[in-house]
Amino acid sequence: MADPKGFLTTPRREWPRRPVEERVRDWDEMYVPGALLPLIGPQADRCMDCGVPFCHEACPLGNLIPEWNDLVSRDDWRAAAERLHATNNFPEFTGRLCPAPCEAGCVLAINQPAVTIKNVECAIADRAFEEGFAPPAPPERLSGRTVAVIGSGPTGLAAAQQLTRAGHTVAVYERDDRIGGLMRYGIPEFKMEKRHLERRIGQMRAEGTKFRTGTAVGRDVDAAALRHRYDAVVIATGATAWRELPVPGRGLTGIHQAMEYLPLANRVCQGDLEVSPLSAAGRHVVIVGGGDTGADCLGTAVREGAASVTQLDIYGRPGTERDEDAEPWPTYPRLYRLSAAHEEAGELGTAPSADADARLFAASTLRFSGDADGRVRWLHLVEVDAERRAVPGSERALPADLVLLALGFSGPDREDGLIAQLGLELEPRGTLARDVGFATNVPGVFAAGDAARGQSLIVWAIAEGRAVAAAVDRHLTGGASRLPAPIGPYDRPMTAP
Ligand SMILES: Cc1cc2nc3c(=O)[nH]c(=O)nc-3n(C[C@H](O)[C@H](O)[C@H](O)COP(=O)(O)OP(=O)(O)OC[C@H]3O[C@@H](n4cnc5c(N)ncnc54)[C@H](O)[C@@H]3O)c2cc1C
Ligand code: SF4
């Protein structure tokens, strides 16, 4: 803490977003380029070095937040990058995409705005690459043991990087044509430009990790045969089985799952397609589902030139202040937040509510109706109370010629043969069963990330990737692992959505 009074004298300032009217005309990241670094020194100085850093416990990776805040405020960026990478393989991803439960747990946040921890993390990560503080770290010696990692999302990438650095020979199998999982084809470019992903993949290749894209294990490669070829297998296939909305009219044309829609828009950004076949241009779009996936659809539809966009949330509108009884500090509260995408839809001038927000809260979809050609035209909804009972007389219809379903995911895909070929057991909720050491019921096969944990967050995916790597390393070496695993028991309740 270079300035012991920083938290008293410096107000919180976040990385500014570009003006809405500018950013909705392109797909670039929403932030003002170059505006982050000049803010960071004084912001890091706001850290009180409080002695009992709840932020550190609130971060699933156990990031050493007060340490790197202090190093940044002392202008020692190299050491800050080293401390940051000691617990987080991919801070440039979390620095852009994490909902920052650490900030909800910041001690300063008891009665003042929290330290901008996520911004500091992002600045350290970007500067580390720019100044060469994050060079490839290939192992000095190879162990002669081999590992197949199935799935190249943040879980698979973190596990692969840790195991490669420990000296094992690691191949990552990915069914898509490119590496990255949901960070590649789910999360839009305006939240994180793919160049950040490419930069890390480049580092991993230089360290020796091998990537086999376009290879679905269970379909293109027999999973049981793969198990025999490698000394260990890590399953990090994500939770990609989406939830359905079984209401009348669901079969009409123009109703799609979010993960049918978002990958096509991402492919346009990557230059694979000129125009998305599901483009929202000129359409009245209704998004069913009030979460972040729905917000990503919203920002994408706005950029594609939708005529109007509405997002439905079945939950009531949350308050703007923390409810100290129900969600006391340092838990992550459910609050009314206006994300970047919500600002943009308000700007479109089509918002249905008075406060320029494209969301309708406490709204439940009853059915869809369409035209003679079988194309959806209307979404019929009803207002619901906290117990999800319909409010009498509140039924109404919204014009809808593109409907996007963003209702979450139930677990890993069961159609590709992987689970059956290995004979993996599942939990009743559909996720892969594993013990506290990440081992499945099949010897030598481990499971981590959304596939085992259920739909979650990138920070948890990285934490699980690191922890499963330590478990696999122990399995391969028959002793203690030198790989660090994030602190804390892995079955603890989540502190963030
Ligand atoms: C639209 C969207 C936006 C999100 N935004 C955020 C956000 O802003 N911040 C945040 O923290 N979290 C966000 N999340 C959640 C986050 O992306 C996930 O929690 C995280 O990506 C899970 O990582 P994972 O590696 O376990 O799985 P995934 O990222 O899903 O990766 C799994 C990979 O396995 C591959 N695979 C599956 N089966 C096979 C097979 N048989 N053979 C080979 N490969 C296979 C898949 O193709 C995929 O590439 C978002 C999720 C969605 C859907
Ligand atoms: S990974 Fe997320 S929770 Fe951890 S320090 Fe970064 S922003 Fe905070």
Side-chain angles (χ1 to χ4, degrees):
M1 180 170 55
D3 178 2
K5 292 193 181 151
F7 68 98
L8 294 173
T9 54
T10 308
R12 174 181 165 110
R13 282 187 63 200
E14 292 176 32
W15 190 359
R17 294 171 186 156
R18 294 188 289 135
V20 169
E21 55 285 2
E22 176 194 316
R23 67 181 196 247
V24 296
R25 286 200 217 101
D26 62 46
W27 293 93
D28 297 347
E29 255 173 31
M30 59 182 126
Y31 300 107
V32 178
L36 177 61
L37 210 53
L39 289 179
I40 289 305
Q43 290 300 309
D45 252 351
R46 292 184 71 237
C47 180
M48 298 186 293
D49 196 11
C50 53
V52 186
F54 282 79
C55 58
H56 168 86
E57 167 66 14
C59 171
L61 284 159
N63 273 349
L64 306 167
I65 298 160
E67 288 188 34
W68 37 259
N69 276 336
D70 180 53
L71 289 160
V72 165
S73 61
R74 292 174 196 282
D75 213 23
D76 189 349
W77 289 80
R78 182 187 290 275
E82 185 272 316
R83 298 313 287 146
L84 178 56
H85 284 94
T87 57
N88 188 354
N89 295 63
F90 312 126
E92 69 281 21
F93 304 163
T94 45
R96 288 177 169 80
L97 299 169
C98 189
C102 54
E103 294 185 18
C106 172
V107 170
L108 190 54
I110 294 174
N111 63 359
Q112 282 194 48
V115 174
T116 52
I117 298 169
K118 175 175 156 177
N119 281 180
V120 179
E121 177 173 41
C122 195
I124 300 172
D126 286 354
R127 192 154 177 188
F129 272 111
E130 276 155 27
E131 304 214 2
F133 301 154
E140 281 171 15
R141 262 190 317 229
L142 290 179
S143 68
R145 312 307 300 271
T146 57
V147 185
V149 174
I150 308 174
S152 70
T155 307
L157 291 181
Q161 185 165 63
Q162 291 295 94
L163 287 163
T164 301
R165 287 178 173 178
H168 308 303
T169 301
V170 181
V172 179
Y173 288 79
E174 171 54 57
R175 67 183 173 188
D176 270 328
D177 56 345
R178 293 188 179 94
I179 299 299
L182 288 172
M183 294 185 302
R184 172 71 68 179
Y185 288 125
I187 293 171
E189 188 83 3
F190 56 83
K191 271 171 62 180
M192 186 179 82
E193 290 171 8
K194 306 291 180 257
R195 65 191 169 90
H196 302 295
L197 198 45
E198 302 301 351
R199 197 169 54 178
R200 256 320 152 179
I201 294 165
Q203 183 199 44
M204 291 182 65
R205 285 189 203 279
E207 290 170 355
T209 305
K210 302 276 180 273
F211 293 101
R212 316 243 186 278
T213 49
T215 312
V217 178
R219 192 186 63 208
D220 304 323
V221 174
D222 183 81
L226 194 79
R227 168 67 197 95
H228 289 295
R229 275 207 347 248
Y230 288 88
D231 295 315
V233 173
V234 175
I235 302 180
T237 48
T240 49
W242 52 59
R243 294 211 179 89
E244 256 306 335
L245 183 63
V247 297
R250 167 65 181 94
L252 291 165
T253 311
I255 304 175
H256 299 278
Q257 287 283 349
M259 279 306 292
E260 293 174 313
Y261 170 72
L262 291 170
L264 292 168
N266 269 310
R267 285 196 180 276
V268 172
C269 292
Q270 304 243 166
D272 297 349
L273 295 170
E274 195 116 327
V275 180
S276 166
L278 298 184
S279 172
R283 296 194 185 281
H284 294 287
V285 180
V286 183
I287 300 156
V288 184
D292 289 345
T293 301
D296 288 352
C297 291
L298 197 149
T300 301
V302 168
R303 282 165 179 74
E304 287 177 338
S308 72
V309 194
T310 309
Q311 185 181 7
L312 306 184
D313 192 336
I314 199 159
Y315 294 103
R317 184 178 160 146
T320 49
E321 297 291 326
R322 185 193 277 279
D323 176 340
E324 290 298 347
D325 295 324
E327 296 173 316
W329 176 90
T331 59
Y332 190 86
R334 182 174 182 258
L335 290 180
Y336 176 80
R337 294 181 174 90
L338 198 66
S339 75
H342 297 124
E343 280 175 4
E344 292 159 7
E347 193 73 14
L348 203 62
T350 58
S353 62
D355 59 0
D357 185 336
R359 280 171 290 185
L360 278 184
F361 291 96
S364 175
T365 306
L366 295 173
R367 64 193 167 88
F368 302 104
S369 57
D371 58 21
D373 297 336
R375 180 159 192 104
V376 67
R377 290 290 173 225
W378 296 95
L379 180 148
H380 302 262
L381 62 87
V382 69
E383 202 180 308
V384 289
D385 63 18
E387 272 76 47
R388 302 223 184 143
R389 288 174 307 221
V391 175
S394 65
E395 191 178 326
R396 63 180 168 124
L398 296 177
D401 39 26
L402 177 62
V403 175
L404 301 171
L405 305 178
L407 300 161
F409 303 87
S410 59
D413 206 337
R414 297 195 207 176
E415 281 161 23
D416 55 19
L418 168 78
I419 292 172
Q421 286 167 15
L422 283 172
L424 293 169
E425 286 172 4
L426 297 175
E427 297 289 353
R429 63 182 183 141
T431 51
L432 295 177
R434 61 177 181 185
D435 66 17
V436 287
F438 295 82
T440 68
N441 58 306
V442 181
V445 179
F446 297 77
D450 280 13
R453 177 182 184 83
Q455 177 190 1
S456 186
L457 295 170
I458 288 164
V459 61
W460 275 107
I462 300 171
E464 291 228 352
R466 290 171 66 82
V468 77
V472 170
D473 189 42
R474 272 194 302 276
H475 169 77
L476 294 177
T477 57
S481 173
R482 278 178 301 149
L483 285 177
I487 55 161
Y490 281 88
D491 49 0
R492 73 179 176 182
M494 285 189 58
T495 52

